[in-house]
Amino acid sequence: MTTLADAPPSVRNRRLSRPVAFAAIAAIFVTFSAASAAPSPLYVVYQHLWSFSATTLTAVFAVYVVGLIGSLLVLGALSDHIGRRPVLAAAIALEAVSLVLFLTAGDVGILLAARLIQGIATGAAMTTLGAALVDLNPPHAPGRAGLINGLAPVAGLAVGALGTGVLVQYAPSPTHFIWALLLAGMVLAGIVVARIPETSARRPGAAASLAPRLGVPPRLRGDLFALVPIIVASWAIGGLYLSLGPSVAAGVFGIGSHLVGGLVVTLLCGTGALTSFLLRNVPTKRVLLLAGSLLTVGAAISVTGLELGSALLAAIGTVISGVGFGASSLASFGTLAVLAAPHERGELFAVALVIAYVAFSVPAVIAGFAATSAGLHDTALVYGLVVAVLGAAALVAQQMRKRVTA
């Protein structure tokens, strides 16, 4: 096999250094995540323009998740066989196609196609980006890749939602400008990926890896299963805010500002991103305990604010939940980052992300359909109570795991 080390000096010199490549991969990770959150504040605008129901809105959310989970199942381990760069290049090209569709969308059909393609691109990108970060992790900071793997998706969601909210509220052509900016970002990402070093050696089995499956090496199963309850609890609340958050702000609390619609998501995800950074040196077991506790408390306070009609109380609950969300992301993905061997990373991150996005999507899709018949208020109320129960279950699971390993 020909490696970068065997290439002529002129080719090697065009490659980015490993520290620069690490930073570039982190930035691309945030960009993909931001693009995935960008439609959230725009859903209300699209509903107004094209007069579609909450059920249709849920379908738009659902096709994204179908594409993403399908991509994780089929493509999750591909970069372990053919290398990180080819998979990233293909994901960026596919994301660019989806952004062009968003940019030119004139009806719900194009919007559905754009979201489906975006889901496929995001699924392919996220597992590969996560694995590449671990590959490029600087030796002097062994936990940095785990930190960025936990931080980047949550930070991207916050940036994408808030940035879109600002542009929808104040910029011209709100349904076009954000997509043009993101498309420019993807073009830049493509240029960067062409220059990063390849970090995963080619090995046989690429075609076989495309068969949809979820595989976890036996030695890692106990650690992964112990993380499932907290991953489910945190990503379930993320799904609520990204799918229905702006609609709840407008329909339940009467807040019509698109900026506030984006801020609803950012309160959760931005707080989560900041928490991931601030807790980066705290022992994982303590972070997991904090995550479960605050997800439970935050969901309970948000439900109380919803029931009392207090936007302030609901916002306080959202911030507390955001701390739990960030702590969960840091602890779970940080743990996985240090457990897997290089040839296991793509597949292990695919499994973890499938769990996360099933939790993120299935309850949100059910809630979207329920909102049509039961109303936003009652749907959000029940959803919040379920998340509080899930957070409590995560605490119990961690205690049981502690006893088993003691």
Side-chain angles (χ1 to χ4, degrees):
M1 181 189 73
T2 301
T3 66
L4 181 60
D6 301 319
S10 60
V11 174
R12 292 200 304 269
N13 291 339
R14 289 199 297 267
R15 295 284 184 241
L16 299 176
S17 67
R18 290 178 69 90
V20 173
F22 183 91
I25 291 293
I28 294 171
F29 207 152
V30 172
T31 304
F32 262 96
S33 187
S36 74
S40 291
L42 280 169
Y43 286 149
V44 177
V45 178
Y46 288 132
Q47 275 187 299
H48 177 73
L49 288 175
W50 301 329
S51 302
F52 57 80
S53 66
T55 301
T56 302
L57 174 59
T58 302
V60 173
F61 179 79
V63 296
Y64 168 77
V65 175
V66 168
L68 186 144
I69 292 176
S71 179
L72 290 172
L73 290 171
V74 174
L75 303 175
L78 185 60
S79 75
D80 290 339
H81 297 274
I82 68 171
R84 312 299 186 206
R85 292 174 65 234
V87 177
L88 280 179
I92 289 168
L94 203 55
E95 179 77 10
V97 171
S98 78
L99 294 173
V100 170
L101 289 175
F102 278 121
L103 189 61
T104 58
D107 56 46
V108 175
I110 301 298
L111 192 61
L112 284 165
R115 271 307 249 176
L116 177 62
I117 293 171
Q118 187 181 47
I120 296 169
T122 303
M126 291 185 77
T127 56
T128 309
L129 289 164
L133 284 170
V134 180
D135 296 342
L136 293 164
N137 192 77
H140 66 276
R144 186 167 297 173
L147 171 64
I148 300 300
N149 268 305
L151 180 63
V154 184
L157 293 175
V159 170
L162 182 60
T164 303
V166 170
L167 293 176
V168 171
Q169 187 70 35
Y170 299 112
S173 302
T175 58
H176 297 85
F177 190 47
I178 181 62
W179 306 121
L181 284 178
L182 288 169
L183 185 58
M186 284 299 151
V187 171
L188 181 60
I191 295 170
V192 169
V193 166
R195 297 192 60 197
I196 64 172
E198 180 55 74
T199 58
S200 180
R202 288 178 177 268
R203 62 189 182 94
S209 76
L210 299 177
R213 67 189 178 91
L214 291 175
V216 179
R219 67 183 182 84
L220 301 179
R221 288 174 188 168
D223 293 291
L224 178 62
F225 292 160
L227 294 171
V228 168
I230 195 68
I231 293 174
V232 170
S234 59
W235 283 89
I237 199 167
L240 171 65
Y241 278 82
L242 263 83
S243 61
L244 294 179
S247 298
V248 170
V252 176
F253 294 113
I255 302 172
S257 168
H258 298 298
L259 175 58
V260 174
L263 190 60
V264 168
V265 178
T266 303
L267 274 178
L268 181 84
C269 298
T271 303
L274 180 62
T275 299
S276 293
F277 179 75
L278 294 177
L279 296 181
R280 64 193 184 279
N281 295 321
V282 177
T284 300
K285 290 182 180 179
R286 193 176 301 172
V287 175
L288 285 170
L289 179 64
L290 183 68
S293 302
L294 293 182
L295 283 170
T296 304
V297 172
I301 293 175
S302 295
V303 164
T304 303
L306 190 65
E307 188 63 20
L308 296 177
S310 170
L312 177 60
L313 196 58
I316 292 170
T318 298
V319 170
I320 294 172
S321 295
V323 175
F325 187 22
S328 166
S329 185
L330 171 68
S332 54
F333 286 97
T335 298
L336 296 177
V338 299
L339 288 175
H343 65 280
E344 300 168 333
R345 285 169 188 158
E347 190 169 8
L348 184 61
F349 276 107
V351 172
L353 287 167
V354 166
I355 294 168
Y357 275 97
V358 167
F360 177 82
S361 59
V362 173
V365 169
I366 294 171
F369 286 116
T372 304
S373 55
L376 278 170
H377 176 276
D378 290 347
T379 300
L381 191 67
V382 171
Y383 199 129
L385 290 172
V386 170
V387 169
V389 171
L390 287 171
L395 283 173
V396 173
Q398 289 303 317
Q399 291 303 314
M400 291 177 63
R401 178 65 177 167
K402 210 182 291 183
R403 290 173 187 171
V404 168
T405 57

